[in-house]
Amino acid sequence: MKISLFFFGADSDQADKYRLLFDAVRFADAHGLYAAWVPERHFLRFGGLYGNPSVTAAAIAAMTSRLQIRAGSVVMPLHHPLEVAEAWSMIDHFSNGRAGIAIASGWHVNDFVLAPDRYAQRGPIMLDSIVLVQRLWRGESVEFANGEGVATPTAILPRPLRPDIPVWMTASSEDGCALAGERGFGLLTSNFGNNYSLDVLGRKVARYRTGARPGAQLTLMMHAYVGASAQDVAAHALPAMMDYLHSNIAMQASQDAGRGEDRGYAELQGRRERKFLQLRAAANINSELSFVGTVEDCVRRARTLQAAGVDEIACLIDFGIAYDATMAGLQRLAEVARQLA
């Protein structure tokens, strides 16, 4: 079982916004964790530190020597395939061959102020675009229209170090997981939408593995905090999870507003919010698909997930726990990784 870090922190008023990111990846690089995953999130506090995964990945590449560097994910319809291939080829060089990406179609309507004409067809565009990225990565020239509309064979420079770029597809539904397998991608999924049930996750794994190539990697993103005791976990993780869910509700409400809909998220920001957040945060932390607990809790859960078909746990650590406690938790997370090695 591989143990990695995942970042999706909300923006805040603090001046040194990337201190935890940089210190955590340096720690992970020095203590045997496998990879660092960085997202693409636009224009909202929730995830708002991470507007462009290639920029974040380039910074991480410069300060690490062995940690795998992953986009989790590139929202492909927001980018030209040449842009993605060229940027990640540079990161492949910066990192001496440690680059890989997960791809996503995107879902938040307001992200598509960057490419409004692509929103309706974002799924097919994602699949068509990654094929072009893979061809460009292998050194092929691909025809694109230039400024005069003339079809122009174009190849990227510099040529990447890796002969093929490792690709995951981000999916949460069972059908999406099956599609990732059929297309030959790794799978990046999460406990969101699983009702925090191992049975639901098992169905997703089964759908993915049915069409996946031998050795295909399934990565599960989970909120993670390894505490010194149950009391430590409750003191640090529960209030942080409540704040994190508050930001998530705000993101959902903005999606509804952008689509001219109302599914009740705005109301949850009002009178019923605190009780809802308390119940949901406690359910998240105590579920069988949580990586929040003591060293013993997390080792046990990791072995259960490995038996269920998960190859890598991507630990989302920046969900609001204070810096010092998070870094102390990383020491214990490294112990979890050592016990699972």
Side-chain angles (χ1 to χ4, degrees), residues 168-221:
W168 286 252
M169 180 175 146
T170 302
S172 57
S173 70
E174 291 184 29
D175 287 346
C177 294
L179 179 61
E182 291 165 5
R183 292 295 181 122
F185 304 135
L187 173 64
L188 175 62
T189 191
S190 74
N191 54 10
F192 299 144
N194 289 341
N195 298 318
Y196 299 92
S197 163
L198 193 60
D199 289 340
V200 175
L201 176 64
R203 291 198 296 272
K204 290 167 60 173
V205 171
R207 292 287 303 278
Y208 173 67
R209 294 294 184 195
T210 296
R213 68 187 187 282
Q217 294 293 297
L218 193 158
T219 301
L220 177 66
M221 189 278 285

Side-chain angles (χ1 to χ4, degrees), residues 3-326:
I3 301 295
S4 300
L5 300 185
F6 199 106
F7 296 89
F8 210 114
D11 192 14
S12 69
D13 295 330
Q14 70 187 62
D16 194 357
K17 295 178 184 293
Y18 297 99
R19 179 188 179 196
L20 177 60
L21 168 70
F22 294 155
D23 288 353
V25 297
R26 289 188 186 103
F27 177 90
D29 193 57
H31 289 84
L33 301 186
Y34 180 67
W37 294 80
V38 293
E40 178 172 357
R41 174 80 265 139
H42 297 283
F43 315 130
L44 289 169
R45 181 172 176 266
F46 187 83
L49 293 178
Y50 302 106
N52 188 320
S54 63
V55 173
T56 315
I60 292 173
M63 63 182 65
T64 58
S65 61
R66 52 157 301 279
L67 200 67
Q68 297 293 306
I69 300 171
R70 309 280 188 238
S73 312
V74 176
V75 181
M76 293 298 298
L78 300 182
H79 303 277
H80 194 289
L82 276 167
E83 175 196 353
V84 175
E86 185 179 62
W88 283 89
S89 178
M90 292 174 68
I91 294 163
D92 202 44
H93 280 270
F94 296 162
S95 65
N96 196 29
R98 293 182 280 132
I101 61 172
I103 59 170
S105 62
W107 68 276
H108 201 294
V109 65
N110 292 346
D111 290 356
F112 282 80
V113 297
L114 296 170
D117 57 323
R118 294 184 164 203
Y119 183 72
Q121 294 298 315
R122 60 194 182 277
I125 289 171
M126 173 191 72
L127 295 173
D128 291 344
S129 293
I130 190 57
V131 171
L132 296 177
V133 169
Q134 290 172 313
R135 289 177 58 193
L136 290 161
W137 191 275
R138 295 176 189 132
E140 294 183 34
S141 291
V142 179
E143 285 194 348
F144 297 99
N146 68 12
E148 295 289 344
V150 177
T152 305
T154 310
I156 61 166
L157 291 172
R159 287 286 306 276
L161 297 177
R162 282 182 159 172
D164 290 286
I165 185 169
V167 178
W168 286 252
M169 180 175 146
T170 302
S172 57
S173 70
E174 291 184 29
D175 287 346
C177 294
L179 179 61
E182 291 165 5
R183 292 295 181 122
F185 304 135
L187 173 64
L188 175 62
T189 191
S190 74
N191 54 10
F192 299 144
N194 289 341
N195 298 318
Y196 299 92
S197 163
L198 193 60
D199 289 340
V200 175
L201 176 64
R203 291 198 296 272
K204 290 167 60 173
V205 171
R207 292 287 303 278
Y208 173 67
R209 294 294 184 195
T210 296
R213 68 187 187 282
Q217 294 293 297
L218 193 158
T219 301
L220 177 66
M221 189 278 285
M222 306 173 73
H223 290 84
Y225 174 68
V226 185
S229 65
Q231 293 76 17
D232 176 30
V233 170
H236 288 103
L238 185 60
M241 183 65 74
M242 288 176 64
D243 287 345
Y244 192 79
L245 291 174
H246 180 278
S247 297
N248 183 268
I249 288 170
M251 179 176 67
Q252 299 283 351
S254 73
Q255 167 77 341
D256 288 354
R259 300 180 68 176
E261 299 175 351
D262 183 2
R263 293 176 292 168
Y265 287 108
E267 184 183 356
L268 284 172
Q269 293 181 278
R271 59 185 175 81
R272 294 189 296 133
E273 179 183 276
R274 184 161 185 82
K275 185 62 175 178
F276 171 84
L277 291 178
Q278 285 176 332
L279 294 173
R280 182 66 182 272
N284 288 7
I285 289 169
N286 295 318
S287 82
E288 56 192 341
L289 291 183
S290 165
F291 220 59
V292 176
T294 63
V295 169
E296 293 76 16
D297 294 333
C298 292
V299 168
R300 174 178 51 79
R301 289 174 182 168
R303 287 176 174 153
T304 299
L305 291 167
Q306 188 171 33
V310 174
D311 300 300
E312 176 186 5
I313 297 172
C315 298
L316 194 157
I317 62 167
D318 61 338
F319 62 97
I321 295 174
Y323 171 87
D324 288 342
T326 301

